[in-house]
Amino acid sequence: MGGFASDTFLAALLFGAVTAAIPLLLAGLGEQMSEKAGVLNIGIEGMMITGAYLGFVSAYYSGSFWLGFLTGAAGGVAVAALMALLCVRIGLNQIVIGIALTLGLEGLTALLHHFQFSRSYPRLPAAEVTPIPLLADIPVLGSALFRHHLIVYLAVAMVVVMIWVYRRTQFGINLQAAGDKPAALDVAGIDVIRTRTAAVLFTGGMAGLGGAYLANVGAGLFIPFITNGAGFLGIVLAMLARGQPVWVLVGALVFGGCLSMTTAAQVAGVNIPTDVIQMLPFLAVMAMLVLFGRRASLPAALGIPYERGAR
Amino acid sequence: MSGEAVHVRAAPLDASAGQASRRDLGRRLLITLGPILISLALAGCVLLAVGVDPLAYYGFVVERGLLSPLGLQQTLTRMAPLLFIAAGLIVAFRAGMWNLGGDGQFLLGAVAAAATAPLLVQSLPGWLALLVAFLIATVVVVIWSLVPALLRAYQGVNEIITTLMMSFLGVSLANVLVKLVFLDPGTTVPQTRTLPVGDRLPRLFETTITSGLVFGLAAIVIVHLVMTRTAFGLKLRTVGANPRAAVHAGLNVPLLTVVVFAISAGLIGMGGAIDIIGIHGNVRADWNPAYGLAVIPVVFLARMNGFAAIGFVFLLSVLSIGGESAARRLGVPQHFTLVLVSIVLITLAIAEYLDHRFNQVRRT
């Protein structure tokens, strides 16, 4: 059991933390935009599982990871388009539709998987990594943080992009208004429905991409219900981050660390049953919610469909 | 912002009118049955896509879940736990609270009953042992529900998230309890001690239907009457419709929140207990029927009306029992039921919207 302190073990632990954090980061950033615009997107779990399934199928048959990511994101967008149509445009209950989409897509992907892969359980080859010059040679940290698939760096870069969008662009300000006082945005001559639709579609793309990463790079295969609440964790991250993309990144790394530690503990041969280990990330979430939940700030009009002229 | 977390209203689908005229009733039937037929067709396309004949599948499900005597008895037995869950969800949703933690609550109730009942029957008379096990299970789940309830009531933490997270925790915890704490030393299969068939809830008349069905029906009818006909129910619905107005009306909203969670989770826990002391007798490791989430659509389809929910729970049971047979015989996994239920929910919501629009247009 002396493996805990060794450099390679530590590097593997950190590497795992980043790998586990990326889907949460993507889902959290996506959900954040929806919530900012006033749409509580419970369907994100369904968007992620769709992204995971389509991403895997496409990468498996084409042999290209990038095509997999693209298809996964497109799948997420497609589900989001349905969600936007039902919840933003015609104003159906966001939670009911969100649950329906999540359940239905979990069922559908499991069904399709059963007929396609349940006999063979094919795996993808390990994803190729892009080491960052110089940084990748730092002992321990180099192999843990700077030897990942290119998409990982892009995901982290998205944090900066989101900060820029929210602070410096008109669209970012529109989003904020769509969530806090949609009527005011409408009076200013900007279409609330269109703003919210854009936000939901973005969420779908990010969630689908996150799902594709989870299946293709994280696991290397698709199994039914593989997302196992990752989308819901994304919602928690968005809630706790209070509109700040940086905090989504921090939160994702914390939960990713938890997830990575659970696998590491098993690899190191710590004798704890899997079920106890599976509880850890969710315990961490509950602890965070108990400690910081009070300060979680959400837009005023979250969850309320906008209807022009309604009081 | 702290005290005023999102109040995503559960009310819009509420059925307020009890005085529906005959024509209204016909319209209701049309906008309920129409979408169900459309959904069956859409889900049939999914079956076609995976190379299964939808007519054969549906025929098989109806035959196994509804027409064969044994299947019908199984269907009615399956209704017992589902009715408790539906009753629990109706309380929460009518009070405007999203208890999405049904799976965890159900399993913890089941494990608590399975842990206690086989030991209690050795020392107490049969019916008393079952009653005590049932109550213990309920109390365990009520305590479990305090975490999201207190967070929502006094910290304003959104219960959608906390109950979902607690559900993942509850499912894992139930497994841990089965594998480590309440493991039956007598078998090699990881499961709890088994309640002997003779000590379980009696069956109805000469059938295999559990008497748990009667309790389930009683629970949902009582819930319906309490929510619609009593002052207490009105208080809860006021909280659901407008929490701020409820405060001004002098209601103790935080306390009512905790009470709603306790009743809702308690009823779902009772569902788990009934499933064990009435039907299964033990909990096997990794057993999770995931009834909790599957019943949520049912409750919305019934527009949170207890009597309508009984009908929809029956339909879900037919699908579920028939689907299990079909999984064995036709090789279509159970997941298909999930797909069908969610398509029904979406088409029904759309139908309701179109109906609403149609009425608006006609009025102007």
Side-chain angles (χ1 to χ4, degrees):
Chain A
M1 281 240 350
F4 259 119
S6 80
D7 284 357
T8 35
F9 185 82
L10 200 61
L13 190 69
L14 284 172
F15 184 87
V18 174
T19 308
I22 294 303
L24 303 180
L25 171 67
L26 289 167
L29 286 177
E31 178 73 21
Q32 188 166 47
M33 185 179 280
S34 268
E35 287 187 11
K36 248 183 208 288
V39 182
L40 182 61
N41 201 336
I42 297 275
I44 192 171
E45 183 82 11
M47 297 170 192
M48 265 190 118
I49 195 96
T50 308
Y53 173 75
L54 290 178
F56 173 77
V57 169
S58 136
Y60 176 66
Y61 287 115
S62 73
S64 156
F65 273 83
W66 285 105
L67 201 62
F69 292 138
L70 208 64
T71 321
V77 171
V79 178
L82 185 58
M83 172 109 187
L85 174 71
L86 296 175
C87 297
V88 178
R89 201 152 281 274
I90 68 178
L92 298 181
N93 188 309
Q94 295 168 5
I95 296 173
V96 179
I97 298 298
I99 292 173
L101 284 177
T102 294
L103 283 182
L105 290 164
E106 280 183 343
L108 185 62
T109 50
L111 193 71
L112 293 172
H113 171 268
H114 174 86
F115 284 102
Q116 276 177 297
F117 303 124
S118 67
R119 293 218 181 78
S120 50
Y121 277 94
R123 295 190 76 97
L124 293 176
E128 61 182 281
V129 296
T130 312
I132 294 184
L134 295 178
L135 289 176
D137 298 328
I138 306 173
V140 183
L141 284 184
S143 56
L145 303 182
F146 303 109
R147 283 178 190 275
H148 281 277
H149 192 274
L150 192 54
I151 197 99
V152 170
Y153 313 123
L154 292 178
V156 176
M158 275 308 282
V159 175
V160 182
V161 174
M162 296 321 297
I163 293 175
W164 175 75
V165 167
Y166 294 143
R167 289 217 187 130
R168 296 269 181 245
T169 68
Q170 183 64 44
F171 178 63
I173 294 168
N174 292 350
L175 282 172
Q176 191 91 41
D180 276 330
K181 216 158 186 49
L185 186 65
D186 203 0
V187 169
I190 292 159
D191 195 333
V192 176
I193 304 295
R194 201 171 288 172
T195 310
R196 286 186 168 181
T197 303
V200 172
L201 292 180
F202 175 79
T203 308
M206 293 290 269
L209 186 59
Y213 179 87
L214 185 74
N216 292 353
V217 182
L221 81 172
F222 179 85
I223 46 170
F225 308 99
I226 188 174
T227 47
N228 191 28
F232 296 138
L233 286 174
I235 301 179
V236 177
L237 287 175
M239 269 175 63
L240 291 174
R242 311 168 79 197
Q244 310 278 354
V246 172
W247 285 106
V248 177
L249 176 63
V250 174
L253 287 171
V254 170
F255 291 152
C258 277
L259 287 166
S260 169
M261 249 186 293
T262 56
T263 19
Q266 282 171 305
V267 173
V270 180
N271 193 16
I272 320 170
T274 342
D275 298 288
V276 177
I277 286 173
Q278 276 171 354
M279 288 166 74
L280 287 180
F282 295 105
L283 274 176
V285 172
M286 285 310 293
M288 296 261 267
L289 282 170
V290 170
L291 290 175
F292 306 115
R294 194 186 181 91
R295 285 187 286 164
S297 116
L298 294 164
L302 185 64
I304 306 167
Y306 181 68
E307 193 183 335
R308 184 176 283 176
R311 278 178 300 157
Chain B
M1 241 345 273
S2 57
E4 301 169 16
V6 252
H7 296 299
V8 187
R9 265 169 240 144
L13 289 171
D14 203 343
S16 50
Q19 65 275 25
S21 70
R22 179 163 292 186
R23 226 180 92 215
D24 262 12
L25 198 70
R27 213 192 71 226
R28 273 263 114 111
L29 272 178
L30 184 72
I31 68 163
T32 305
L33 293 181
I36 291 181
L37 290 176
I38 295 173
S39 310
L40 286 173
L42 283 174
C45 295
V46 173
L47 286 177
L48 272 181
V50 294
V52 176
D53 177 5
L55 290 178
Y57 179 87
Y58 289 140
F60 192 81
V61 168
V62 170
E63 196 212 312
R64 281 313 174 89
L66 190 63
L67 299 181
S68 83
L70 187 66
L72 184 61
Q73 291 176 23
Q74 284 177 334
T75 297
L76 291 171
T77 296
R78 174 64 52 85
M79 281 178 75
L82 299 183
L83 285 171
F84 273 101
I85 298 174
L89 293 178
I90 286 174
V91 174
F93 292 168
R94 282 208 178 226
M97 281 162 225
W98 295 94
N99 178 7
L100 304 186
D103 284 342
Q105 292 157 4
F106 180 86
L107 275 183
L108 285 175
V111 169
T116 49
L119 298 180
L120 286 168
V121 285
Q122 292 170 5
S123 48
L124 294 175
W127 64 271
L128 188 60
L130 294 187
L131 182 65
V132 172
F134 184 73
L135 292 178
I136 290 177
T138 310
V139 170
V140 165
V141 180
V142 167
I143 293 171
W144 179 254
S145 82
L146 280 177
V147 180
L150 293 174
L151 279 172
R152 159 79 195 248
Y154 297 101
Q155 301 274 314
V157 180
N158 189 315
E159 78 285 3
I160 299 173
I161 281 310
T162 47
T163 50
L164 267 174
M165 294 295 119
M166 293 284 287
S167 195
F168 282 99
L169 271 180
V171 171
S172 296
L173 180 62
N175 264 328
V176 171
L177 290 175
V178 170
K179 287 176 191 166
L180 297 185
V181 186
F182 302 122
L183 197 66
D184 182 1
T187 65
T188 49
V189 190
Q191 63 183 33
T192 62
R193 285 188 177 81
T194 306
L195 185 65
V197 178
D199 290 327
R200 293 180 201 168
L201 285 178
R203 289 172 173 175
L204 289 175
F205 315 112
E206 300 292 298
T207 65
T208 60
I209 304 166
T210 173
S211 50
L213 175 64
V214 178
F215 298 114
L217 287 170
I220 200 160
V221 170
I222 292 171
V223 160
H224 183 80
L225 294 179
V226 167
M227 291 309 285
T228 54
R229 301 287 155 82
T230 65
F232 178 67
L234 180 65
K235 279 183 192 172
L236 296 191
R237 281 185 291 139
T238 310
V239 175
N242 191 338
R244 211 171 298 176
V247 174
H248 287 298
L251 298 177
N252 186 346
V253 175
L255 181 68
L256 285 174
T257 303
V258 175
V259 170
V260 166
F261 268 98
I263 298 176
S264 173
L267 282 164
I268 296 175
M270 288 177 192
I274 280 287
D275 213 12
I276 299 310
I277 62 177
I279 304 165
H280 296 295
N282 65 14
V283 176
R284 278 168 287 125
D286 298 319
W287 178 67
N288 178 14
Y291 294 148
L293 282 179
V295 175
I296 292 175
V298 170
V299 171
F300 281 111
L301 295 181
R303 299 178 183 83
M304 298 176 219
N305 177 308
F307 295 112
I310 296 175
F312 281 107
V313 163
F314 176 72
L315 276 183
L316 179 65
S317 296
V318 171
L319 279 178
S320 161
I321 294 291
E324 277 171 20
S325 287
R328 285 192 297 270
R329 291 287 287 283
L330 304 179
V332 179
Q334 274 273 283
H335 310 302
F336 179 72
T337 311
L338 274 186
V339 180
L340 183 55
V341 168
S342 71
I343 295 181
V344 171
L345 185 59
I346 292 172
T347 50
L348 208 86
I350 295 174
E352 194 144 301
Y353 165 79
L354 291 177
D355 180 58
H356 179 68
R357 280 299 289 269
F358 178 70
N359 278 350
Q360 270 183 339
V361 170
R362 205 174 45 182
R363 233 174 268 149
T364 50

